[in-house]
Amino acid sequence: MSKPLSDHDRRKQISVRGLAGVENVSDLKQNFNRHLHFTLVKDRNVATKRDYYFALANTVRDHLIGRWIRTQQYYYEKDPKRVYYISLEFYMGRTLQNTMVNLGLENACDEAMYQLGLEMEELEDMEEDAGLGNGGLGRLAACFLDSMASLGLAAYGYGIRYEFGIFNQKIVNGWQVEEADDWLRYGNPWEKARPEYMRPVHFYGRTEHHPDGVKWVDTQVVLALPYDTPIPGYRNNIVNTMRLWSAKAPCEFNLKDFNVGGYIQAVLDRNLAENISRVLYPNDNFFEGKELRLKQEYFVVSATLQDIIRRFKVSKFGSREIARTDFSKLPDKVAIQLNDTHPAMAIPELMRVLVDEEKLNWETAWDICVRTCAYTNHTVLPEALERWPVELFAHLLPRHLEIVYEINRRHLERVAAKYPGDVDRLRRMSLIEEGGQKRINMAHLCIVGSHAVNGVAQIHSDILKATVFKDFYEMEPHKFQNKTNGITPRRWLVMCNPGLAEVIAERIGEDFIRDLDQLRNLVKFVNDEAFIRDIAKVKQENKMKFAVHLEEHYKVKINPNSMFDIQVKRIHEYKRQLLNCLHIITYYNRIKKDPNKQWTPRTIMIGGKAAPGYHTAKMIIRLITAIGEVVNNDPVVGDRLKVIFLENYRVTLAEKGIPAADLSEQISTAGTEASGTGNMKFMLNGALTIGTMDGANVEMAEEAGEENLFIFGMRVDDVEALDKRGYHAEEYYNRLPELKQAIDQIAGGFFSPKQPDLFKEIVNMLMHHDRFKVFADYEDYIKCQEKVNALYKNPKEWTKKVIYNIAGCGKFSSDRTIAQYAREIWGVEPTLEKIPAPDDKH
């Protein structure tokens, strides 16, 4: 028998990782050594693993630079319409491996490192995640950048270069503890500072009205310093730009105020200005109306619009002089996409620039603004909608408040003309909410100031039109669209699951990586014994690898033959991690009651961060860890049930865990999860889904066949009907003995014997004010989990369903999503053409 292949030899055989040509490898080794020596000034005998990572990163980066310069030159010459994706979050994760995948360098780099006696995976593990996002919204932006580059769009991601991203989560005695994410501590090899494009951003001050227009004066200035990160398309030689702004105090900051003797304090106070880009607000689906956050929102918008207008004005003939002054052409050359309402200030800011600075009349400026901007809504949860106090606005951005009032005045005039005498409609549709303290409804501002408004899954877009934005839909139905979210198959299949990508490529070729709809061709192989075996084998290998990772990092021994049942996402009541907990407890109680039965073994993993100020979410984490302490130490249960809280869930942990999952938990109350994207990642990586008819789950069931998912629970209509009747948790508690037992155990301290009333708040919430109706779906969820157990005992039938799921994933590529945005909102045409590489002579 031949000895098993080493990891390195196995990786070499994976064709989707690119070719390792001899010349290529020898060049890479040479450049690696050059960077070690000249860039890092290190000798091989004193270099650390981190030095080797930086040398490799710089070597790979060299392959980007020529393509980057050439791409930007190409856009400059062709002068296409440019797309500006503005987001307060870009959850990028690591860059090295993704860059190698998109450039086709993975096997060559692997071989070069191997020949130098280094292990590539160890070097990759030195890279910090760029955690500049909270969850779905920020990760979506990252997937979109990859797809926009891969589809040849002249697109730019604009955001903030936070010094501290999403906190690192530690679990201490079962509780979440946050620590600062100092991701830039060792430097970032992927970014390039661009001080020559620094821009001033103004705050505070007052307005002066003159016959020739309005002036905003006596402002405080903060400088926006851009850092550019290259975004390579998939093997098409295109490299786009993500530009993130960092806040800098101007040299004169606080010194011109002739504070006698206050020089030292004045220099120290520069921090106040620079705090704008210090830290990401760690809230997911929750609005916190803090002045610093509004400053961040205006900061990114103001700097970005200055950049957009500068780029619009310069001629394409290589001269610095201004070529374009006719702003009526702006919507033909610029598309601005607002990722949720966080960059909504782009609308009044664009109006300010056009009216106050470029001296256009209001009507012309407004027409340009609406045709340029488009808005994506990400949630219907009322607590997540941005409603800024007018008072704060007046203080921080006095001119913008005047502009918002004028937008509202004209908007309400149009409403009144269309619906005479309907004063309640005027109140509902106003941008300004009266009552206690006056607030600006940023979603209303975005709808009025955009030509397109979209939700992120069909059911979500339908809910927007039927409820949240019903009045606006009735008035301007043409504005409302759907753009179902997607994920990039480069990171979420080729990169994180090369074994699966290879098994697929052996059957249908490699083109699916660019055109994910080709996965449909796998349906032909659903009864092919060898294919079924290969799919199952890849899953088993991924489970073994993840089990090893967990044992190294969490010191827990897990049974790799158990079902890996995973729920990873931000901790939130609407996502119903508590429903998962109730299943765990019920399953535990059943095993205890009949320990000799053949139970399907499960390892249940739950991971995700709780916003630091979200008390209930932190208590949910404590409950999960408490259940784990009891279950995992019960000898009667043994390795038939284990509960693991996955600490510090982030992009890099998702890339390890998702390929190993058997069961994906997508169990939000119907009508609350706008789309979800983790659901798509699990589906693409060969897990089956247990889920409600919510978000994109609905479309996943459509694409793969509802019989190939485990769908349970109330639909949106049922939830509405239950709201009308009134939801009474006690009815379920009294009717369902297993539910009663589980709740009594939580309440009675079974999982917290040292603090019996530790979880009384959670029980009280579930029993008396549970907005998300956990008990209403409990019975159906448990029954559905029984079906999951039964099918898992039949591996062949399980794997057939997995194949149908993978085959149905085509729709959920972010390439499809972006192609739809491009054609239906931005008015640009995507292309799969390659442009010439820098070394091509044409």
Side-chain angles (χ1 to χ4, degrees):
M1 239 185 78
S2 61
K3 80 179 177 68
L5 291 172
S6 72
D7 273 357
H8 171 72
D9 285 333
R10 184 183 296 139
R11 288 202 299 270
K12 258 163 74 168
Q13 293 180 359
I14 296 180
S15 63
V16 294
R17 292 166 57 97
L19 297 167
V22 177
E23 281 176 52
N24 220 346
V25 170
S26 126
D27 283 353
L28 286 167
K29 283 161 67 179
Q30 205 175 345
N31 286 325
F32 177 88
N33 284 321
R34 179 173 56 82
H35 277 298
L36 199 59
H37 199 80
F38 293 103
T39 310
L40 302 167
V41 201
K42 283 287 172 86
D43 202 276
R44 275 298 297 257
N45 54 27
V46 294
T48 63
K49 202 177 283 184
R50 179 164 286 106
D51 293 320
Y52 291 135
Y53 158 70
F54 275 102
L56 177 57
N58 278 292
T59 304
V60 171
R61 186 173 155 272
D62 288 344
H63 287 255
L64 281 172
I65 303 302
R67 290 175 170 91
W68 199 6
I69 292 166
R70 165 162 301 210
T71 300
Q72 300 311 311
Q73 182 63 32
Y74 175 80
Y75 292 155
Y76 199 59
E77 288 159 11
K78 302 250 309 203
D79 192 34
K81 183 169 182 178
R82 290 171 157 89
V83 174
Y84 295 98
Y85 195 85
I86 311 182
S87 180
L88 269 282
E89 303 184 20
F90 287 94
Y91 203 172
M92 303 295 284
R94 290 174 177 170
T95 297
L96 174 59
Q97 196 185 355
N98 184 247
T99 304
M100 293 189 296
V101 164
N102 280 12
L103 263 39
L105 287 173
E106 220 181 343
N107 267 332
C109 288
D110 202 328
E111 183 60 31
M113 294 304 97
Y114 181 73
Q115 290 181 18
L116 292 169
L118 298 168
E119 180 53 69
M120 184 132 94
E121 282 195 36
E122 288 183 13
L123 302 191
E124 287 167 350
D125 273 333
M126 297 308 297
E127 183 175 358
E128 299 276 357
D129 272 44
L132 308 185
N134 279 286
L137 174 147
R139 183 54 235 175
L140 185 78
C143 284
F144 280 4
L145 293 181
D146 181 87
S147 286
M148 290 188 292
S150 296
L151 291 173
L153 302 184
Y156 301 76
Y158 273 92
I160 296 176
R161 181 180 177 268
Y162 300 107
E163 199 175 317
F164 296 92
I166 187 64
F167 60 86
N168 285 312
Q169 179 193 57
K170 289 269 191 302
I171 300 296
V172 179
N173 300 322
W175 298 93
Q176 166 177 296
V177 175
E178 301 88 21
E179 73 185 24
D181 165 42
D182 194 3
W183 72 291
L184 293 167
R185 182 174 45 229
Y186 299 106
N188 173 5
W190 305 107
E191 69 182 8
K192 176 78 183 80
R194 292 270 177 205
E196 66 274 28
Y197 295 118
M198 191 132 58
R199 296 283 170 256
V201 177
H202 297 262
F203 294 103
Y204 305 110
R206 56 193 175 80
T207 60
E208 288 178 352
H209 291 250
H210 303 278
D212 59 333
V214 184
K215 289 203 170 67
W216 180 18
V217 297
D218 296 340
T219 56
Q220 286 186 24
V221 175
V222 177
L223 298 177
L225 170 64
Y227 285 77
D228 287 357
T229 299
I231 306 290
Y234 182 71
R235 301 187 191 182
N236 62 355
N237 296 319
I238 284 184
V239 181
N240 283 346
T241 303
M242 174 176 67
R243 177 163 285 180
L244 302 180
W245 301 101
S246 185
K248 278 289 270 171
C251 293
E252 346 57 276
F253 189 81
N254 266 12
L255 289 171
K256 54 189 177 308
D257 307 335
F258 53 89
N259 330 9
V260 183
Y263 164 72
I264 294 288
Q265 195 52 48
V267 173
L268 298 184
D269 284 347
R270 292 168 59 85
N271 275 322
L272 299 172
E274 296 173 359
N275 276 338
I276 291 175
S277 57
R278 195 79 67 205
V279 60
L280 168 73
Y281 272 85
N283 304 316
D284 186 74
N285 275 299
F286 184 77
F287 171 60
E288 187 177 356
K290 294 284 194 286
E291 181 177 23
L292 180 60
R293 171 67 173 196
L294 185 56
K295 275 186 175 168
Q296 289 180 340
E297 292 183 353
Y298 180 65
F299 175 76
V300 65
V301 151
S302 168
T304 300
L305 275 167
Q306 290 178 63
D307 225 22
I308 290 173
I309 286 162
R310 171 191 59 80
R311 206 175 276 124
F312 171 75
K313 282 181 174 182
V314 298
S315 80
K316 60 178 180 175
F317 307 114
S319 65
R320 273 245 174 257
E321 72 214 40
I322 288 171
R324 263 196 289 256
T325 48
D326 179 4
F327 278 93
S328 68
K329 298 282 184 287
L330 191 78
D332 302 328
K333 287 296 173 187
V334 171
I336 295 173
Q337 192 68 35
L338 307 175
N339 195 25
D340 213 313
T341 57
H342 313 148
M345 290 305 300
I347 291 164
E349 173 65 4
L350 182 52
M351 286 302 287
R352 187 190 66 80
V353 171
L354 294 178
V355 174
D356 294 358
E357 293 179 6
E358 302 293 341
K359 306 297 183 194
L360 274 65
N361 67 59
W362 182 279
E363 291 74 12
T364 308
W366 183 245
D367 176 66
I368 290 167
C369 177
V370 171
R371 286 167 50 215
T372 302
C373 296
Y375 157 57
T376 302
N377 172 277
H378 283 271
T379 182
V380 296
L381 294 181
E383 63 268 36
L385 297 178
E386 291 196 294
R387 293 153 60 248
W388 287 104
V390 163
E391 214 182 342
L392 175 58
F393 241 81
H395 177 52
L396 190 70
L397 300 165
R399 178 56 182 143
H400 296 78
L401 181 59
E402 295 176 351
I403 290 168
V404 169
Y405 274 138
E406 180 60 16
I407 292 171
N408 195 41
R409 186 186 67 76
R410 291 169 179 250
H411 159 61
L412 291 182
E413 233 168 52
R414 283 173 44 237
V415 177
K418 195 161 164 102
Y419 306 97
D422 192 343
V423 288
D424 199 53
R425 186 181 292 261
L426 284 177
R427 181 191 56 75
R428 293 195 309 266
M429 292 184 75
S430 177
L431 309 192
I432 313 293
E433 298 179 356
E434 307 289 344
Q437 54 167 181
K438 292 186 14 176
R439 292 173 171 271
I440 303 176
N441 185 313
M442 301 303 271
H444 290 184
L445 174 61
C446 285
I447 296 168
V448 171
S450 298
H451 70 279
V453 175
N454 73 280
V456 289
Q458 192 63 58
I459 188 176
H460 171 231
S461 298
D462 291 343
I463 288 169
L464 292 182
K465 295 190 290 191
T467 60
V468 205
F469 301 146
K470 179 171 188 281
D471 295 319
F472 292 90
Y473 174 63
E474 285 173 4
M475 187 154 154
E476 304 187 286
H478 58 272
K479 281 191 179 182
F480 288 79
Q481 302 189 19
N482 172 245
K483 295 287 168 278
T484 300
N485 283 163
I487 57 172
T488 170
R490 272 72 64 180
R491 182 176 293 265
W492 296 112
L493 178 57
V494 179
M495 185 184 123
C496 72
N497 202 343
L500 179 57
E502 188 65 9
V503 163
I504 294 169
E506 281 168 3
R507 303 310 198 285
I508 65 170
E510 269 185 51
D511 282 356
F512 71 91
I513 298 168
R514 283 190 164 76
D515 175 16
L516 207 62
D517 286 325
Q518 294 189 23
L519 290 179
R520 275 277 172 235
N521 295 323
L522 292 175
V523 170
K524 298 200 274 283
F525 300 97
V526 75
N527 292 307
D528 179 320
E529 298 289 338
F531 186 60
I532 292 171
R533 220 176 19 251
D534 286 350
I535 293 286
K537 178 166 173 268
V538 166
K539 179 60 72 181
Q540 201 50 44
E541 284 168 357
N542 291 337
K543 288 172 72 172
M544 299 291 279
K545 190 168 182 182
F546 193 49
V548 168
H549 172 81
L550 291 178
E551 281 166 32
E552 281 171 7
H553 289 78
Y554 302 95
K555 314 288 172 245
V556 280
K557 197 95 176 94
I558 51 183
N559 171 9
N561 297 312
S562 65
M563 183 199 307
F564 283 16
D565 168 349
I566 309 189
Q567 184 179 24
V568 283
K569 51 188 72 240
R570 286 294 291 258
I571 310 294
H572 202 299
E573 288 160 87
Y574 87 85
K575 293 175 187 281
R576 297 202 297 190
Q577 282 90 357
L578 285 172
L579 183 57
N580 196 340
C581 288
L582 291 178
H583 170 250
I584 298 174
I585 296 171
T586 302
Y587 199 47
Y588 171 76
N589 287 334
R590 288 181 178 186
I591 295 172
K592 291 283 282 184
K593 198 174 168 187
D594 189 358
N596 296 318
K597 200 178 148 195
Q598 283 302 298
W599 298 100
T600 306
R602 287 202 192 208
T603 302
I604 301 176
M605 306 178 221
I606 304 178
K609 291 172 183 173
Y614 189 174
H615 174 73
T616 304
K618 291 187 144 178
M619 288 308 301
I620 291 170
I621 291 176
R622 185 63 190 94
L623 177 62
I624 297 163
T625 56
I627 293 168
E629 282 161 32
V630 170
V631 171
N632 299 346
N633 293 302
D634 192 323
V636 176
V637 174
D639 66 358
R640 293 180 290 188
L641 181 60
K642 291 281 181 234
V643 179
I644 294 168
F645 187 83
L646 295 173
E647 196 176 294
N648 203 29
Y649 178 65
R650 59 199 186 284
V651 174
T652 294
L653 190 56
E655 289 162 3
K656 293 177 162 73
I658 291 173
D662 291 306
L663 186 67
S664 159
E665 301 264 358
Q666 308 296 337
I667 59 179
S668 54
T669 312
T672 63
E673 188 72 89
S675 168
T677 43
N679 48 2
M680 302 167 189
K681 292 164 194 172
F682 281 104
M683 183 182 186
L684 183 58
N685 281 277
L688 296 186
T689 301
I690 184 167
T692 51
M693 276 298 198
D694 198 20
N697 297 356
V698 177
E699 290 159 80
M700 286 163 51
E702 231 167 79
E703 297 294 304
E706 195 172 329
E707 68 281 5
N708 295 311
L709 282 79
F710 296 98
I711 299 290
F712 73 93
M714 298 179 290
R715 311 303 202 247
V716 169
D717 303 344
D718 303 316
V719 176
E720 274 173 25
L722 182 52
D723 273 323
K724 280 207 181 72
R725 290 202 308 277
Y727 167 65
H728 302 296
E730 317 77 52
E731 293 174 11
Y732 301 90
Y733 171 85
N734 291 321
R735 183 166 61 75
L736 303 167
E738 287 184 304
L739 173 59
K740 181 177 191 302
Q741 182 187 7
I743 292 298
D744 291 349
Q745 285 169 315
I746 297 170
F750 181 86
F751 297 104
S752 53
K754 290 179 183 152
Q755 295 168 267
D757 56 359
L758 183 58
F759 300 117
K760 67 172 189 301
E761 295 162 297
I762 284 191
V763 171
N764 183 53
M765 181 275 289
L766 286 171
M767 293 295 292
H768 304 296
H769 35 89
D770 174 11
R771 295 166 58 204
F772 303 105
K773 306 175 176 64
V774 170
F775 291 3
D777 276 339
Y778 168 83
E779 190 176 16
D780 202 22
Y781 181 53
I782 299 297
K783 283 187 183 143
C784 198
Q785 289 283 20
E786 291 167 12
K787 290 183 196 161
V788 173
N789 283 338
L791 188 67
Y792 193 75
K793 288 198 163 94
N794 185 343
K796 194 165 153 186
E797 290 308 309
W798 179 280
T799 305
K800 282 185 187 185
K801 284 201 192 292
V802 165
I803 293 166
Y804 280 119
N805 271 270
I806 297 171
C809 272
K811 177 177 185 177
F812 306 108
S813 169
S814 48
D815 296 345
R816 185 270 317 153
T817 310
I818 288 299
Q820 288 182 334
Y821 275 95
R823 296 187 177 113
E824 297 163 28
I825 297 179
W826 303 330
V828 292
E829 193 50 40
T831 172
L832 288 174
E833 272 172 66
K834 288 173 84 160
I835 64 168
D839 39 25
D840 286 7
K841 292 299 169 270
H842 330 298

